[in-house]
Amino acid sequence: MLKIKELINHVAQTCLNILITGETGVGKEVVAQSLYAESNRSKNNFVKINCAALPETLLESELYGYEKGAFTGAHKKRYGKFLTADKGVLFLDEIGDMPLSLQSKMLHVLQSGEFSPLGSDQDFKTDVWVIAATNQCLEENIKNKTFREDLFYRLNIIKIDIPPLRERPEDIPALIEYYFKKHLAEHPKTRAEKPDKLTMERLCSYHWPGNVRQLQNCIKKLMVLNSWDKIFEELPNDTYTTGTSSSENISQGQLADSGMHSPDYQLNNDPGNRRLRIISEFVDLSTSSEKLFEDISLKKIKKLASDKVEKEVIIFVLEKVGWNRSKAAKILKVSYKTLLYKMSEFDVNPPIS
């Protein structure tokens, strides 16, 4: 996220078209607002339009405006978003849902800056900074012929991809602190309390399928219910991340007494050393005690364990769907791009036919 913030500061003054990608609820509009605030257009309008929320004909009239009498119900002239956002920012949310018939007209405006309202023969010139956002994989949409390739490259001059909240759990405490203060001001009589250490651990280990928006809604709900237990009751129990730390501790004496440093020690054949067999998957137990304890890090082991489980689950799902990555991404509830990244990270490749 710090890299994203640095990128925002770096490109905000360029006014190059930007495509923001990420799952629903990760904060794509927040990034767009930050780009706007850091740019030299911040004194002009920030205009947002949701391309998925309007039918095709209404979306076209909202974008380009219309003349009086252009269609039934057009009783007076109306300016569109491109003129309203002139010298400012036009934020096209859910651009992946824009109908193909409108994509060609959008491409023309982005290329020339010119457009004509519905029912008008006059061309208008506009100077807008276009920032688009989507939770879809537009590259896949291009293959499926539902999104124009030329429009994609026109929008995708700068790309900002926001990772889902489950991939950045270290952000959760700061987000909770921020939203707690924000909504506490709106509910001054609430008896809600900030999470204690155990509650914070549970919050950080939760999968957050709805991302930051879901977390914010939980804080809003807390202000009314005044109970973290009630919040957890409404969260699905099967969406907690793996690799949570155990309460069991292994002392140096226990490790030394186990005889693990003996050259003829057969770790896998000793049923009494289940813990050591698990640890041996992530730590070299044949080293000296000093070196061993330098290598043991809960954070490191948690990451290795989580990666191992994720890799096996990804391979399992891909095999079940015949290595159809789009289907696998939907089943795993991750974006198509995230799945491709994970496959590359874990060196997961389809079998050679």
Side-chain angles (χ1 to χ4, degrees):
M1 296 307 294
L2 290 174
K3 288 181 179 178
I4 289 177
K5 187 170 187 247
E6 183 180 348
L7 181 59
I8 289 171
N9 294 334
H10 187 65
V11 304
Q13 299 299 330
T14 66
C15 294
L16 295 172
N17 293 342
I18 292 178
L19 180 64
I20 306 171
T21 60
E23 296 178 7
T24 299
V26 293
K28 296 186 288 293
E29 186 174 350
V30 174
V31 170
Q33 289 277 7
S34 298
L35 286 162
Y36 165 70
E38 293 294 325
S39 73
N40 53 16
R41 295 176 177 244
S42 58
K43 294 181 180 179
N44 298 312
N45 291 335
F46 178 93
V47 179
K48 173 189 172 182
I49 186 165
N50 190 318
C51 300
L54 300 172
E56 181 177 342
T57 52
L58 187 55
L59 178 59
E60 184 176 11
S61 63
E62 282 290 312
L63 283 169
Y64 307 109
Y66 53 82
E67 295 292 330
K68 180 180 178 181
F71 51 85
T72 303
H75 301 300
K76 62 179 180 179
K77 179 177 180 178
R78 181 172 179 178
Y79 293 113
K81 303 297 186 186
F82 270 105
L83 272 184
T84 307
D86 190 38
K87 302 294 189 299
V89 170
L90 178 60
F91 178 49
L92 301 172
D93 199 11
E94 305 298 348
I95 187 68
D97 291 297
M98 177 174 283
L100 269 173
S101 57
L102 292 185
Q103 290 178 27
S104 57
K105 191 169 183 178
M106 174 65 65
L107 180 66
H108 174 74
V109 181
L110 294 178
Q111 288 174 337
S112 65
E114 296 180 350
F115 70 96
S116 58
L118 297 178
S120 174
D121 295 328
Q122 181 182 358
D123 284 338
F124 288 84
K125 191 82 173 176
T126 184
D127 173 23
V128 298
W129 179 19
V130 173
I131 302 175
T134 182
N135 61 1
Q136 301 181 28
C137 177
L138 294 185
E139 292 92 335
E140 190 72 10
N141 290 359
I142 291 170
K143 292 179 183 178
N144 296 333
K145 308 295 184 183
T146 59
F147 200 85
R148 292 180 61 111
E149 186 174 14
D150 45 7
L151 178 58
F152 171 74
Y153 289 117
R154 178 66 63 174
L155 292 169
N156 191 33
I157 298 176
I158 302 289
K159 187 173 186 178
I160 300 178
D161 186 55
I162 309 174
L165 189 56
R166 62 183 171 275
E167 293 182 7
R168 45 188 176 102
E170 64 276 7
D171 289 352
I172 292 175
L175 288 167
I176 290 174
E177 178 73 19
Y178 171 78
Y179 286 120
F180 195 92
K181 286 182 179 178
K182 178 180 178 181
H183 297 304
L184 189 63
E186 299 169 0
H187 302 271
K189 295 183 180 180
T190 183
R191 292 180 285 107
E193 296 180 353
K194 291 183 181 180
D196 56 24
K197 184 178 180 181
L198 182 60
T199 301
M200 185 64 78
E201 287 178 358
R202 290 186 67 185
L203 291 167
C204 289
S205 67
Y206 183 62
H207 199 61
W208 297 110
N211 292 295
V212 181
R213 184 178 296 133
Q214 182 187 13
L215 176 62
Q216 181 183 10
N217 288 339
C218 283
I219 302 299
K220 288 181 179 178
K221 193 182 300 181
L222 176 70
M223 296 296 159
V224 178
L225 300 180
N226 303 313
S227 170
W228 283 109
D229 289 336
K230 291 179 180 178
I231 299 298
F232 286 118
E233 284 176 7
E234 298 185 18
L235 295 178
N237 293 325
D238 58 346
T239 49
Y240 284 85
T241 56
T242 59
T244 52
S245 60
S246 170
S247 60
E248 298 173 338
N249 295 315
I250 304 175
S251 68
Q252 185 169 349
Q254 286 174 310
L255 290 170
D257 294 342
S258 68
M260 72 178 95
H261 300 307
S262 173
D264 58 351
Y265 179 71
Q266 299 297 319
L267 186 65
N268 293 327
N269 294 330
D270 188 343
N273 286 292
R274 177 177 57 84
R275 278 192 203 92
L276 300 180
R277 286 200 296 274
I278 295 172
I279 296 172
S280 68
E281 296 184 34
F282 312 108
V283 178
D284 183 6
L285 298 179
S286 64
T287 59
S288 65
S289 294
E290 288 106 2
K291 180 67 169 62
L292 175 64
F293 285 104
E294 287 178 7
D295 291 342
I296 289 183
S297 159
L298 274 182
K299 186 173 182 179
K300 175 184 175 182
I301 292 175
K302 178 179 178 179
K303 177 70 167 63
L304 292 171
S306 177
D307 286 352
K308 182 179 180 181
V309 173
E310 281 191 24
K311 180 178 179 179
E312 295 302 324
V313 171
I314 288 171
I315 293 174
F316 173 79
V317 172
L318 283 168
E319 288 177 346
K320 288 294 183 182
V321 298
W323 291 85
N324 186 314
R325 290 170 294 185
S326 295
K327 287 184 179 179
K330 290 179 181 178
I331 293 171
L332 294 167
K333 297 179 177 62
V334 297
S335 67
Y336 184 81
K337 182 174 180 180
T338 297
L339 177 61
L340 293 183
Y341 173 80
K342 292 287 185 183
M343 289 177 66
S344 174
E345 181 184 12
F346 301 145
D347 195 24
V348 175
N349 298 300
I352 301 174
S353 56

